[in-house]
Amino acid sequence: MVVLEVLERFGHQHFCSGNWSHKQANTYTHGNSRMVVLIYIYTMNKYRKNRIIYTTLLLVCVVLFWLFDNFYTPAPYSLPEGEGDRTEIPQWLWPSSTTGEIVQHAHFALSYNEAYEQAEWVAYVLEKSHLTYDDRKRPLFLEDPKVGSGSADWRNYKGSGYDRGHLCPAGDRRFSKNAYNETFYTSNITPQDRDFNGGVWNRLEQQVRYWAKKDGPLFVVTAGVLERGLPSIGEEDVAVPKYFYKIVAKGQGENLKIIGFLFPNKESNGKLDQFLVPVDTLEKMTGINFFAGLPDEQEDKLEAGISSSGWRF
């Protein structure tokens, strides 16, 4: 194609005659060399023009991606009050809040601690009917519009080396699009070691689902232990917890059973029951009263010790 375009531009009659003399042959030889030079010049000019076009398009794409990455915000995932299904948490199961910043979404609730840019607890009810295998499209992480002080921007986690770990697992909320999407509010995430998040913590989440299938509904409350002196990530100084806890309760009245776990924020091959602790220990570490709605005598009895009776591992 390049040769044809050059011939069209510079003529081809000199290169297409029949019987040539020696002089004509010499002329052709020089002409042929000139043609090669012209082809090279023409090709390089086209290459430069194309390179400018491609470079411009690449720069435009980079700018658009940067604008999307830094300024695009999707619509909130929460439904208007009074619309859609909701999973209610019994009032007597609500933990206390050290901050007063309690947020209730359709399918989980939380107490946000602005000083650490994450929830001090996330609580939810897990029923057997919630455990579906619906294929949900993963949404973007989004700041929680219900947190008055503003939850942390997801960009704090970029390049930190930590996972955006869910507290209320997305896998427990596949039963509806709204329930699933709400778990991607940044008020529901915390910096977790990648191997921990995909390892022992994931094993615990699967264990809780097993219990829900067998003995649900369950009440679950979980978060990182927020304390002074924690390392942080991002421009907003999102605290990186050294420990994570999870408390699970089932039954009610005299048949109520509770079990508490405490994990370092790192992977472990240990059995889950090796991480059992009294709920009293977790209350001392967090400053949260987890079962304030229970009668004092029952609360003291349930929280004082470790009992795995009735919890099949």
Side-chain angles (χ1 to χ4, degrees), residues 7-289:
L7 288 174
E8 289 175 2
R9 284 175 174 254
F10 301 104
H12 63 278
Q13 65 273 16
H14 298 296
F15 310 105
C16 300
S17 54
N19 298 319
W20 293 352
S21 65
H22 180 72
K23 182 177 181 180
Q24 286 174 322
N26 286 337
T27 302
Y28 171 74
T29 301
H30 293 298
N32 193 36
S33 299
R34 182 169 177 268
M35 178 182 177
V36 171
V37 173
L38 290 172
I39 290 173
Y40 174 77
I41 294 172
Y42 179 70
T43 303
M44 291 305 296
N45 286 337
K46 284 198 70 175
Y47 172 74
R48 288 191 186 97
K49 291 179 181 177
N50 289 339
R51 186 172 64 178
I52 292 172
I53 293 171
Y54 294 144
T55 301
T56 302
L57 289 174
L58 179 62
L59 288 173
V60 169
C61 290
V62 169
V63 170
L64 289 175
F65 180 80
W66 182 84
L67 290 172
F68 177 87
D69 197 40
N70 287 276
F71 295 102
Y72 173 72
T73 301
Y77 302 134
S78 301
L79 295 175
E81 291 295 331
E83 291 188 16
D85 295 331
R86 295 181 177 273
T87 303
E88 300 294 339
I89 300 173
Q91 196 64 39
W92 57 273
L93 286 174
W94 282 73
S96 66
S97 171
T98 68
T99 65
E101 180 78 81
I102 294 178
V103 172
Q104 187 167 6
H105 289 294
H107 300 285
F108 69 90
L110 63 96
S111 173
Y112 198 78
N113 193 320
E114 175 66 21
Y116 298 92
E117 287 291 3
Q118 61 196 280
E120 63 178 359
W121 57 256
V122 169
Y124 60 98
V125 170
L126 183 60
E127 301 178 10
K128 183 178 180 180
S129 61
H130 291 165
L131 300 176
T132 69
Y133 296 96
D134 295 20
D135 186 18
R136 300 289 176 192
K137 182 179 178 181
R138 185 183 178 93
L140 298 172
F141 284 100
L142 183 63
E143 291 180 49
D144 192 334
K146 292 190 174 184
V147 174
S149 57
S151 62
D153 192 299
W154 64 269
R155 295 172 185 85
N156 287 285
Y157 291 76
K158 289 178 65 176
S160 69
Y162 289 95
D163 274 5
R164 292 180 285 261
H166 283 71
L167 292 172
C168 177
D172 288 353
R173 290 293 179 258
R174 291 185 178 274
F175 58 88
S176 81
K177 180 180 179 181
N178 170 242
Y180 184 76
N181 287 355
E182 279 187 336
T183 67
F184 285 82
Y185 281 135
T186 57
S187 57
N188 185 49
I189 64 172
T190 180
Q192 290 186 328
D193 176 85
R194 190 156 296 158
D195 293 332
F196 169 73
N197 185 29
V200 66
W201 191 249
N202 181 56
R203 284 197 284 130
L204 179 59
E205 291 176 347
Q206 293 179 26
Q207 180 68 63
V208 171
R209 292 181 190 121
Y210 171 80
W211 287 332
K213 288 179 182 179
K214 295 291 184 181
D215 304 314
L218 305 178
F219 169 72
V220 184
V221 58
T222 183
V225 176
L226 305 181
E227 54 190 337
R228 292 182 180 179
L230 293 175
S232 62
I233 59 172
E235 293 184 2
E236 294 179 280
D237 295 323
V238 179
V240 181
K242 293 181 180 178
Y243 298 95
F244 284 91
Y245 70 86
K246 192 184 293 283
I247 301 169
V248 186
K250 66 179 180 180
Q252 54 184 329
E254 294 182 357
N255 295 319
L256 179 66
K257 295 181 181 296
I258 64 175
I259 193 169
F261 297 86
L262 181 68
F263 294 85
N265 188 8
K266 61 182 180 180
E267 173 57 327
S268 172
N269 294 320
K271 294 181 179 180
L272 295 178
D273 58 5
Q274 294 177 3
F275 299 94
L276 292 174
V277 295
V279 173
D280 270 348
T281 299
L282 300 178
E283 290 187 335
K284 291 174 183 176
M285 294 179 71
T286 62
I288 299 166
N289 188 351

